[in-house]
Amino acid sequence: PRDEIEATKAPARESFIQMIDDSSNAGIVPVVATEVTIRGPEGWSEDIMKWLGSLLGKESYQDFVNRHVHELNEWLRDYAKERGVMLLDFERELAGADGVRKREYTSEDGSHLTEAAYAHLTDYALHRLPDPGPQSPPATP
């Protein structure tokens, strides 16, 4: 499984590098964004299962996925800084103190974002992205 995860993360890193290089070479200013974590189901039965799993040295699916999201995002933060590329840190923007996506930004399935999350990320991005200035109307044929 470790090799399979690394085999998945390596192409993701390569894709970021390629997209940044291609856009820069084309005169486009690249902007990258971190991935967001997932949030597992909540309730007393889930808490008990997580506690039992920790006693047995088992990692929950949520923790497994989030660990790899955190690792890839750390790499992306470092790479963006090294290259001078603007980074929108969606992971940290939606996360609570525990590093996991806040409940109000998580749908019931724990995977999808809520409307509140999209609204928050839109506001966050709009305040960080440069103003493109006045837009020209499309040319008419």
Side-chain angles (χ1 to χ4, degrees), residues 38-92:
I38 62 172
R39 183 172 195 93
E42 292 184 2
W44 64 270
S45 61
E46 287 79 9
D47 291 342
I48 291 172
M49 293 303 290
K50 190 168 185 169
W51 178 73
L52 286 173
S54 68
L55 287 177
L56 298 171
K58 302 288 183 184
E59 183 177 41
S60 71
Y61 176 75
Q62 171 194 320
D63 292 343
F64 174 80
V65 169
N66 288 343
R67 180 168 48 87
H68 293 290
V69 167
H70 292 305
E71 287 173 9
L72 188 57
N73 285 344
E74 280 304 313
W75 173 86
L76 182 59
R77 287 180 190 102
D78 291 342
Y79 188 74
K81 185 175 182 177
E82 173 187 312
R83 292 289 307 270
V85 171
M86 177 181 238
L87 176 111
L88 297 175
D89 204 340
F90 290 168
E91 175 197 350
R92 289 182 177 160

Side-chain angles (χ1 to χ4, degrees), residues 78-127:
D78 291 342
Y79 188 74
K81 185 175 182 177
E82 173 187 312
R83 292 289 307 270
V85 171
M86 177 181 238
L87 176 111
L88 297 175
D89 204 340
F90 290 168
E91 175 197 350
R92 289 182 177 160
E93 194 60 27
L94 296 184
D98 60 357
V100 176
R101 190 183 332 156
K102 293 177 183 175
R103 170 60 48 206
E104 65 263 27
Y105 298 138
T106 306
S107 63
E108 285 187 28
D109 68 7
S111 179
H112 294 89
L113 298 175
T114 61
E115 286 185 35
Y118 285 113
H120 184 78
L121 291 177
T122 299
D123 184 59
Y124 166 78
L126 288 174
H127 285 90

Side-chain angles (χ1 to χ4, degrees), residues 1-18:
R2 175 83 177 147
D3 291 339
E4 291 174 23
I5 293 297
E6 288 307 316
T8 302
K9 289 192 303 190
R13 289 187 295 266
E14 291 167 15
S15 291
F16 274 113
I17 292 168
Q18 190 67 52

